Short mmCIF file of all heavy atoms in Angstrom, two decimals:
data_model
loop_
_atom_site.label_atom_id
_atom_site.label_comp_id
_atom_site.label_asym_id
_atom_site.label_seq_id
_atom_site.Cartn_x
_atom_site.Cartn_y
_atom_site.Cartn_z
N ALA A 17 -261.93 -37.83 -135.74
CA ALA A 17 -261.59 -39.25 -135.75
C ALA A 17 -260.66 -39.50 -134.63
O ALA A 17 -260.70 -40.56 -133.96
CB ALA A 17 -260.98 -39.66 -137.10
N VAL A 37 -264.91 -59.47 -114.04
CA VAL A 37 -265.90 -59.67 -112.95
C VAL A 37 -266.99 -60.59 -113.37
O VAL A 37 -267.39 -61.43 -112.67
CB VAL A 37 -266.31 -58.26 -112.43
CG1 VAL A 37 -267.49 -58.49 -111.45
CG2 VAL A 37 -265.20 -57.53 -111.78
N VAL A 39 -267.22 -62.89 -115.73
CA VAL A 39 -266.73 -64.27 -115.89
C VAL A 39 -266.54 -64.92 -114.58
O VAL A 39 -266.92 -66.05 -114.34
CB VAL A 39 -265.57 -64.38 -116.82
CG1 VAL A 39 -264.97 -65.76 -116.82
CG2 VAL A 39 -265.94 -64.00 -118.22
N GLY A 40 -265.90 -64.24 -113.69
CA GLY A 40 -265.61 -64.78 -112.29
C GLY A 40 -266.94 -65.10 -111.58
O GLY A 40 -267.04 -66.16 -110.92
N GLY A 47 -272.07 -73.74 -109.87
CA GLY A 47 -271.71 -74.75 -108.95
C GLY A 47 -270.35 -75.42 -109.26
O GLY A 47 -269.94 -76.43 -108.66
N THR A 52 -266.99 -83.15 -104.31
CA THR A 52 -267.80 -84.33 -104.47
C THR A 52 -267.10 -85.62 -104.01
O THR A 52 -265.89 -85.55 -103.81
CB THR A 52 -268.24 -84.56 -105.97
OG1 THR A 52 -267.01 -84.72 -106.73
CG2 THR A 52 -269.09 -83.39 -106.47
N THR A 61 -254.28 -80.67 -98.03
CA THR A 61 -253.68 -81.04 -96.74
C THR A 61 -254.74 -81.46 -95.88
O THR A 61 -255.93 -81.25 -96.09
CB THR A 61 -253.00 -79.84 -96.20
OG1 THR A 61 -253.91 -78.81 -95.98
CG2 THR A 61 -251.88 -79.33 -97.03
N GLU A 67 -260.30 -80.94 -93.91
CA GLU A 67 -260.65 -82.35 -93.66
C GLU A 67 -261.41 -82.86 -94.84
O GLU A 67 -261.70 -82.05 -95.75
CB GLU A 67 -261.47 -82.47 -92.39
CG GLU A 67 -262.68 -81.65 -92.38
CD GLU A 67 -263.41 -81.64 -91.00
OE1 GLU A 67 -262.76 -81.42 -89.98
OE2 GLU A 67 -264.60 -81.83 -91.04
N ALA A 72 -273.42 -83.35 -99.48
CA ALA A 72 -274.42 -82.29 -99.21
C ALA A 72 -274.61 -82.10 -97.75
O ALA A 72 -274.47 -83.07 -96.98
CB ALA A 72 -275.71 -82.69 -99.92
N GLU A 84 -263.54 -65.01 -101.28
CA GLU A 84 -262.74 -65.37 -102.50
C GLU A 84 -261.48 -64.61 -102.45
O GLU A 84 -261.44 -63.35 -102.36
CB GLU A 84 -263.54 -65.10 -103.74
CG GLU A 84 -262.85 -65.50 -105.01
CD GLU A 84 -263.70 -65.42 -106.21
OE1 GLU A 84 -264.96 -65.23 -106.12
OE2 GLU A 84 -263.13 -65.55 -107.38
N VAL A 85 -260.40 -65.32 -102.75
CA VAL A 85 -259.11 -64.67 -102.78
C VAL A 85 -258.46 -64.99 -104.16
O VAL A 85 -258.31 -66.23 -104.48
CB VAL A 85 -258.10 -65.19 -101.64
CG1 VAL A 85 -256.80 -64.47 -101.78
CG2 VAL A 85 -258.73 -64.91 -100.30
N VAL A 99 -261.66 -70.14 -103.21
CA VAL A 99 -263.01 -69.82 -102.89
C VAL A 99 -263.37 -70.67 -101.58
O VAL A 99 -263.23 -71.94 -101.69
CB VAL A 99 -264.02 -70.16 -103.98
CG1 VAL A 99 -265.41 -69.91 -103.52
CG2 VAL A 99 -263.67 -69.29 -105.23
N ASP A 103 -270.16 -73.12 -95.77
CA ASP A 103 -270.12 -74.40 -95.07
C ASP A 103 -268.67 -74.85 -94.77
O ASP A 103 -268.42 -75.90 -94.14
CB ASP A 103 -270.90 -75.48 -95.76
CG ASP A 103 -270.21 -75.88 -97.09
OD1 ASP A 103 -269.24 -75.20 -97.54
OD2 ASP A 103 -270.82 -76.76 -97.72
N MET A 120 -262.74 -76.98 -94.44
CA MET A 120 -262.14 -76.50 -93.24
C MET A 120 -262.80 -77.09 -92.03
O MET A 120 -263.97 -77.42 -91.99
CB MET A 120 -262.31 -74.96 -93.11
CG MET A 120 -261.59 -74.21 -94.27
SD MET A 120 -261.79 -72.39 -94.09
CE MET A 120 -260.63 -72.12 -92.77
N GLU A 127 -262.28 -69.27 -87.03
CA GLU A 127 -261.15 -68.31 -87.00
C GLU A 127 -261.20 -67.43 -88.24
O GLU A 127 -260.94 -66.19 -88.13
CB GLU A 127 -259.81 -69.12 -87.07
CG GLU A 127 -258.61 -68.30 -86.92
CD GLU A 127 -257.33 -69.17 -86.93
OE1 GLU A 127 -257.33 -70.36 -86.46
OE2 GLU A 127 -256.31 -68.59 -87.36
N ALA A 136 -261.25 -54.17 -87.60
CA ALA A 136 -259.99 -53.69 -88.18
C ALA A 136 -259.88 -54.12 -89.58
O ALA A 136 -259.30 -53.39 -90.41
CB ALA A 136 -258.86 -54.35 -87.35
N ALA A 138 -262.37 -54.29 -91.65
CA ALA A 138 -263.26 -53.27 -92.38
C ALA A 138 -262.60 -51.99 -92.71
O ALA A 138 -262.98 -51.31 -93.56
CB ALA A 138 -264.56 -53.10 -91.59
N SER A 145 -251.69 -48.13 -101.43
CA SER A 145 -251.26 -46.71 -101.57
C SER A 145 -249.70 -46.64 -101.72
O SER A 145 -249.22 -45.62 -102.20
CB SER A 145 -251.69 -45.88 -100.39
OG SER A 145 -251.16 -46.41 -99.19
N VAL A 157 -259.14 -59.67 -102.46
CA VAL A 157 -260.00 -60.42 -101.43
C VAL A 157 -261.40 -59.87 -101.54
O VAL A 157 -261.59 -58.68 -101.37
CB VAL A 157 -259.43 -60.24 -100.01
CG1 VAL A 157 -260.26 -61.06 -99.07
CG2 VAL A 157 -257.93 -60.69 -99.94
N THR A 158 -262.36 -60.72 -101.81
CA THR A 158 -263.76 -60.30 -101.86
C THR A 158 -264.52 -60.96 -100.77
O THR A 158 -264.56 -62.23 -100.62
CB THR A 158 -264.42 -60.68 -103.20
OG1 THR A 158 -263.66 -60.17 -104.22
CG2 THR A 158 -265.82 -60.13 -103.28
N TYR A 159 -265.06 -60.10 -99.84
CA TYR A 159 -265.87 -60.61 -98.71
C TYR A 159 -267.04 -59.64 -98.54
O TYR A 159 -266.87 -58.44 -98.46
CB TYR A 159 -265.04 -60.59 -97.41
CG TYR A 159 -265.87 -60.82 -96.21
CD1 TYR A 159 -266.50 -62.03 -95.89
CD2 TYR A 159 -265.98 -59.79 -95.24
CE1 TYR A 159 -267.28 -62.19 -94.80
CE2 TYR A 159 -266.78 -59.94 -94.14
CZ TYR A 159 -267.39 -61.15 -93.89
OH TYR A 159 -268.15 -61.29 -92.73
N GLY A 169 -245.99 -55.56 -100.85
CA GLY A 169 -245.37 -54.48 -100.07
C GLY A 169 -246.32 -53.90 -98.94
O GLY A 169 -245.82 -53.22 -98.12
N GLU A 170 -247.53 -54.22 -99.01
CA GLU A 170 -248.53 -53.59 -98.06
C GLU A 170 -249.49 -54.60 -97.61
O GLU A 170 -250.48 -54.93 -98.29
CB GLU A 170 -249.29 -52.50 -98.82
CG GLU A 170 -249.13 -51.17 -98.17
CD GLU A 170 -249.93 -50.12 -98.95
OE1 GLU A 170 -249.60 -49.92 -100.14
OE2 GLU A 170 -250.81 -49.56 -98.33
N ALA A 174 -254.65 -56.74 -90.02
CA ALA A 174 -255.94 -57.38 -90.17
C ALA A 174 -256.08 -58.17 -91.41
O ALA A 174 -256.70 -59.23 -91.41
CB ALA A 174 -257.01 -56.26 -90.15
N PHE A 179 -255.39 -63.79 -94.05
CA PHE A 179 -254.51 -64.73 -94.85
C PHE A 179 -254.12 -65.91 -93.92
O PHE A 179 -254.07 -67.07 -94.42
CB PHE A 179 -253.27 -63.99 -95.37
CG PHE A 179 -253.54 -63.04 -96.47
CD1 PHE A 179 -252.50 -62.32 -97.02
CD2 PHE A 179 -254.85 -63.01 -97.11
CE1 PHE A 179 -252.69 -61.42 -98.07
CE2 PHE A 179 -254.95 -62.09 -98.20
CZ PHE A 179 -253.95 -61.36 -98.67
#
Side-chain angles (χ1 to χ4, degrees):
V37 170
V39 169
T52 59
T61 62
E67 55 188 51
E84 181 173 347
V85 180
V99 176
D103 66 354
M120 296 182 74
E127 182 181 335
S145 58
V157 181
T158 305
Y159 166 69
E170 237 180 302
F179 286 175

